[in-house]
């Protein structure tokens, strides 16, 4: 396991793994912050996670120390001295706890649990809220996406260490409250950033370990200085959180990293879920394996589809695949709910439209057989129809409706027609010519049956002349013809 | 086009039982009509539209299934990702598709759903507008 960490190839791998690690982990950690309100349940829960975090920190500590002993750990003597001074602090921190966090981090099972508990608390804390109709845990996902985004940016730019140090400074300046308030991402950033910075340094072997340890102890030192006043507090929650602040992001990363590195390197093909597999693409640069080629192709197609989906769904600024999927799922649920609600509210509102059409349909069923095909789509038939309808309207609305129904037309308010055409025009854009083109009439096939999907051209004919003859609601009526 | 289909279906629902049925029954009928129109206008080329129409037409307690050679569940799903499983459940016909096909179908489904919602909203708005004017 040490070899995995030390080897230079895996450093980049681990950096990448941090990205997807923090996606689930930061949600839990954000949830930890969110559940700072003292409640029995919260205490118990984040006590457990704090415990598991410490378990990881213990393992990371063991890993990092041998690296120091190799003699490369002299980058900052402060850290050495700090390490000695911090060891007992570390031990104190790491004393209680075992590895529930290992399972917690590894299996991503708390993905569902924190989702249910986290959102309200997280939203309360962070003040991030989407609309009530969604009512979902956006705060943790935002942070994870934010983190992933920033991490990626920093990786691209080479991850300079001054950046890392600059990021770590705010950590010390914030009080504990602020550390909570500014959310986990600013805290999570320093560690992977120092990791990244050390990873980009030339000497490969132990700088990664150094980076780990430096970041770890550095963050610890900052957190400890910031939390001095809270340390002697008897209550478990706050100081544990403050101390775990440094341990938390690093620790799950470390356990996850060797596990995932092992799994990634072991399973060459490794089908299954998309998100973790995509991160190991850099490692498998060799394209000799047909399985890996097919795998990469599949992944690319999935990425394409995800991008297309991202454009459809609003609020598509999430970079993380899991959060994007979640967004999509919520949007689909929301749309289905809207259909349901609209169908319930439709009942009264449809009264204005339906009776006209209803009369037609009840009386027009018999007449549907005859006069199926009017003349072809020439403008002559249009005006003829218009005049005919106008004449019929003078006598009796019902007969006019009957005539229209026989022709396969229907009557609807202009506002509705224009609104509908505008609403559906964007959808039918590829089919072209779907927007209302005045003065163009197409005969319709029989009503009620499944129309063959011929060219779905929608046309609208506004029978202003007919209306001018004094039919009711003259200004608002129009004859709409559509086909397909 | 979906608008006309939907309006026709709506009129059918209305005149089938004006006041004879409970409002919830009518609401369900309207919702079913909406989905049916959406699926019908999307065309048979989409897996979700076929599955949706199948689901709708199967509803009237048809116990006798035709012995058609329908290839169902070509590949059983290894539901490891809870998100993926949820998406499969949401998109009609999403149980037997591969993942990237699922994403494709989901995109189309979302597009059609959004348009249907916009259409229904438009109808409601204009209808209420007409009422308010009168």
């Amino acid at each position: 396991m040490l070899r995995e960490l030390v080897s230079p190839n895996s450093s980049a791998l681990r950096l990448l793994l941090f990205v997807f690690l923090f996606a689930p982990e930061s949600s839990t950690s954000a949830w930890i912050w969110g559940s700072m309100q003292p409640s029995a349940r919260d205490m118990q829960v984040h006590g457990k996670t704090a415990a598991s975090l410490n378990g990881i920190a213990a393992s990371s500590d063991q890993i990092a120390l041998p690296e120091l002993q190799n003699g490369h750990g002299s980058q900052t003597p402060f850290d050495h001295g700090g390490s000695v001074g911090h060891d007992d602090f570390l031990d104190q921190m790491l004393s209680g706890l075992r590895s529930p966090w290992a399972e917690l981090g590894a299996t991503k099972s708390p993905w569902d649990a924190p989702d249910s508990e986290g959102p309200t608390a997280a939203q309360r804390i962070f003040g991030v809220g989407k609309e009530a109709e969604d009512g979902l845990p956006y705060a943790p996902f935002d942070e994870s996406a934010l983190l992933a985004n920033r991490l990626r940016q920093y990786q691209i730019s080479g991850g300079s260490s001054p950046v890392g140090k600059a990021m770590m400074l705010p950590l010390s300046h914030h009080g504990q409250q602020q550390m909570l308030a500014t959310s986990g991402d600013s805290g999570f950033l320093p560690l992977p950033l120092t990791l990244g910075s050390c990873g980009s340094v030339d000497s490969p072997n132990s700088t990664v370990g150094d980076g780990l340890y430096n970041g770890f102890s550095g963050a610890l030192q900052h957190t400890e200085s910031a939390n001095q006043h809270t340390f002697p507090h008897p209550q478990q929650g706050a100081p544990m959180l403050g101390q775990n602040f440094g341990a938390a992001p690093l620790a799950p990363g470390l356990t996850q990293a060797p596990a995932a590195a092992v799994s990634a390197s072991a399973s060459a093909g490794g089908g299954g879920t998309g998100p973790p597999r995509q991160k190991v693409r850099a490692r498998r640069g060799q394209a000799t394996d047909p399985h890996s080629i097919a795998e990469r192709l599949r992944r690319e197609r999935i990425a394409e589809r995800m991008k297309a989906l991202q454009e459809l769904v609003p609020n598509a600024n999430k970079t993380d695949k899991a959060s994007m999927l979640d967004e999509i799922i919520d949007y689909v649920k929301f749309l289905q709910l809207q259909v349901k609600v609209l169908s319930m509210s439709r009942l009264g509102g449809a009264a204005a439209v339906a009776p006209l059409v209803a009369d037609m349909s009840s009386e027009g069923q018999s007449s549907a057989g005859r006069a199926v095909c009017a003349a072809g789509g020439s403008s002559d038939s249009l005006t003829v129809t218009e005049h005919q309808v106008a004449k019929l309207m003078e006598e009796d609305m019902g007969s006019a409706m009957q005539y229209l129904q026989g022709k396969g037309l229907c009557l609807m308010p202009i506002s509705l027609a224009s609104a509908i055409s505008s609403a559906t025009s964007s959808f039918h854009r590829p089919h072209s010519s779907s927007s209302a083109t005045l003065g163009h009439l197409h005969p319709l096939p029989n009503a009620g049956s499944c129309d063959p999907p011929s060219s779905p051209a929608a046309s609208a004919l506004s029978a202003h002349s007919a209306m001018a003859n004094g039919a009711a609601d003259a200004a608002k009526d129009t004859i709409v013809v559509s086909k397909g | 086009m979906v608008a006309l289909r939907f309006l026709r279906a709506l009129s059918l629902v209305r005149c089938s039982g004006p006041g004879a049925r409970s409002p919830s029954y009518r609401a369900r009928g309207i919702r079913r009509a909406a989905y049916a129109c959406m699926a019908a206008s999307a065309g048979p080329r989409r897996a979700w539209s076929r599955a949706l129409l199948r689901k709708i037409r199967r509803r009237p307690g048809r116990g006798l299934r035709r012995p058609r050679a329908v290839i169902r569940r070509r590949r059983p799903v290894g539901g490891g990702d809870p998100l993926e499983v949820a998406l499969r459940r949401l998109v009609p016909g999403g149980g037997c598709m591969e993942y990237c096909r699922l994403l494709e179908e989901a995109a189309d489904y979302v597009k059609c759903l959004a348009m249907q919602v916009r259409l229904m909203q438009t109808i409601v708005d204009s209808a209420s507008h007409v009422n308010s004017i009168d």
Side-chain angles (χ1 to χ4, degrees):
Chain A
M1 186 162 102
L2 279 179
R3 293 293 170 269
E4 293 284 339
L5 286 177
V6 172
S7 66
N9 290 338
S10 67
S11 62
L13 170 61
R14 215 153 357 97
L15 292 177
L16 291 171
L17 285 169
F18 262 109
V19 173
F20 93 90
L21 270 180
F22 285 121
E25 304 320 338
S26 64
S27 73
T28 344
S29 309
W31 163 70
I32 290 176
W33 293 124
S35 58
M36 266 299 288
Q37 326 291 330
S39 66
R41 183 194 61 169
D42 290 343
M43 283 303 191
Q44 167 197 3
V45 178
H46 74 237
K48 181 175 84 158
T49 51
S52 46
L53 288 177
N54 283 332
I56 305 299
S59 59
S60 74
D61 182 38
Q62 296 158 14
I63 291 165
L65 279 175
E67 297 303 319
L68 270 180
Q69 289 165 10
N70 287 345
H72 296 281
S74 57
Q75 277 191 354
T76 52
F78 165 73
D79 285 332
H80 262 295
S83 76
V84 175
H86 284 291
D87 268 350
D88 40 351
F89 171 73
L90 260 169
D91 291 339
Q92 241 171 349
M93 244 185 50
L94 310 177
S95 54
L97 313 167
R98 289 313 98 202
S99 60
W101 181 256
E103 294 126 26
L104 206 65
T107 63
K108 285 202 272 185
S109 56
W111 189 245
D112 295 328
D115 272 356
S116 55
E117 297 162 339
T120 51
Q123 279 176 356
R124 248 185 299 132
I125 290 287
F126 300 119
V128 174
K130 293 297 175 86
E131 292 75 15
E133 62 196 5
D134 295 327
L136 290 163
Y138 286 106
F141 301 147
D142 281 339
E143 288 156 26
S144 67
L146 194 58
L147 170 69
N149 220 353
R150 285 197 199 165
L151 186 55
R152 212 166 290 143
Q153 288 174 14
Y154 287 124
Q155 281 180 2
I156 290 171
S157 68
S160 54
S161 52
V163 176
K165 293 290 183 275
M167 276 298 148
M168 288 178 65
L169 284 179
L171 196 63
S172 61
H173 290 316
H174 290 320
Q176 187 175 20
Q177 248 66 19
Q178 274 178 322
M179 264 197 300
L180 299 182
T182 55
S183 81
D185 60 353
S186 65
F188 293 143
L189 274 173
L191 297 171
L193 280 175
T194 52
L195 183 63
S197 68
C198 296
S200 61
V201 173
D202 285 338
S203 61
N205 272 342
S206 56
T207 47
V208 180
D210 282 346
L212 285 173
Y213 192 74
N214 289 344
F216 189 61
S217 57
L220 273 182
Q221 197 254 347
H222 287 305
T223 57
E224 192 202 25
S225 61
N227 294 330
Q228 283 291 339
H229 60 290
T230 59
F231 187 71
H233 278 245
Q235 54 176 335
Q236 185 72 3
M240 286 304 289
L241 280 177
Q243 295 148 26
N244 293 337
F245 193 66
L250 187 58
L254 281 178
T255 13
Q256 195 73 0
V262 166
S263 69
S265 54
S267 65
T273 61
R277 296 295 170 260
Q278 197 175 22
K279 302 300 177 277
V280 305
R281 197 200 303 191
R283 176 170 174 76
R284 262 179 277 144
Q286 46 274 13
T288 56
D289 192 8
H291 289 298
S292 64
I293 289 178
E295 181 72 19
R296 192 179 313 143
L297 194 68
R298 177 174 172 268
R299 261 182 275 127
E300 278 166 8
R301 278 167 61 195
I302 288 180
E304 267 176 55
R305 306 281 160 76
M306 285 287 295
K307 216 168 297 186
L309 269 171
Q310 208 167 6
E311 285 162 23
L312 280 175
V313 176
N315 302 326
N317 48 359
K318 314 280 187 298
T319 53
D320 182 30
K321 202 187 266 195
S323 58
M324 198 58 225
L325 255 184
D326 218 51
E327 189 79 41
I328 290 165
I329 287 172
D330 296 333
Y331 188 58
V332 169
K333 278 193 218 162
F334 165 67
L335 284 176
Q336 286 175 344
L337 184 67
Q338 256 195 323
V339 168
K340 188 170 181 185
V341 164
L342 280 172
S343 67
M344 280 193 284
S345 70
R346 176 64 49 80
L347 304 178
V353 180
L356 297 176
V357 189
D359 293 334
M360 272 168 33
S361 63
S362 61
E363 296 161 5
Q365 294 298 339
S366 55
S367 65
R370 61 171 174 87
V372 168
C373 279
S378 63
S379 55
D380 293 342
S381 65
L382 202 74
T383 46
V384 164
T385 310
E386 250 188 78
H387 293 316
Q388 193 70 16
V389 168
K391 221 186 314 178
L392 285 176
M393 268 189 196
E394 287 170 5
E395 312 161 6
D396 174 30
M397 208 53 196
S399 60
M401 291 302 178
Q402 220 170 355
Y403 178 73
L404 278 177
Q405 179 70 0
K407 289 233 164 239
L409 311 175
C410 76
L411 198 71
M412 70 167 59
I414 286 182
S415 53
L416 179 60
S418 52
I420 285 180
S421 67
S422 62
T424 57
S425 62
S426 62
F427 178 68
H428 285 294
R429 210 184 300 123
H431 298 280
S432 81
S433 76
S434 66
S435 54
T437 56
L438 296 181
H440 201 58
L441 174 64
H442 288 282
L444 276 172
N446 266 336
S449 60
C450 249
D451 301 316
S454 47
S455 63
S459 318
L461 165 69
S462 68
H464 287 301
S465 58
M467 297 317 118
N469 290 342
D473 297 334
K476 294 193 295 188
D477 285 350
T478 186
I479 300 179
V480 174
V481 178
S482 59
K483 173 180 170 189
Chain B
M1 197 166 111
V2 67
L4 187 69
R5 273 182 212 266
F6 184 58
L7 284 174
R8 280 200 197 129
L10 202 62
S11 69
L12 283 175
V13 170
R14 283 286 305 191
C15 72
S16 67
R21 316 276 192 163
S22 64
S24 66
Y25 180 85
R26 286 225 301 265
R28 253 180 288 136
I30 288 177
R31 186 164 136 250
R32 211 166 78 221
Y35 279 122
C37 297
M38 195 171 76
S41 66
R45 318 229 19 171
R46 282 286 167 190
W48 67 265
S49 65
R50 289 196 299 264
L52 191 55
L53 281 177
R54 212 182 305 140
K55 190 164 43 167
I56 287 177
R57 283 177 188 157
R58 200 188 300 165
R59 261 197 51 151
R62 197 183 301 176
L64 181 66
R65 301 281 161 86
R66 297 210 202 138
R68 211 178 298 168
V70 176
I71 300 173
R72 299 279 306 176
R73 199 133 305 245
R74 175 165 285 201
R75 183 201 285 209
V77 178
D81 193 6
L83 292 179
E84 184 183 333
V85 165
L87 191 62
R88 281 183 195 274
R89 225 178 295 142
L90 278 177
V91 174
C96 14
M97 287 191 259
E98 297 172 351
Y99 189 57
C100 61
R101 188 125 150 100
L102 175 71
L103 291 180
E104 198 181 324
E105 295 287 325
D108 200 61
Y109 184 59
V110 161
K111 204 166 51 163
C112 284
L113 253 185
M115 204 189 59
Q116 182 73 29
V117 162
R118 259 197 312 210
L119 168 69
M120 289 167 76
Q121 187 71 50
T122 305
I123 290 179
V124 167
D125 286 345
S126 70
S128 62
H129 184 67
V130 165
N131 282 341
S132 64
I133 281 186
D134 297 340

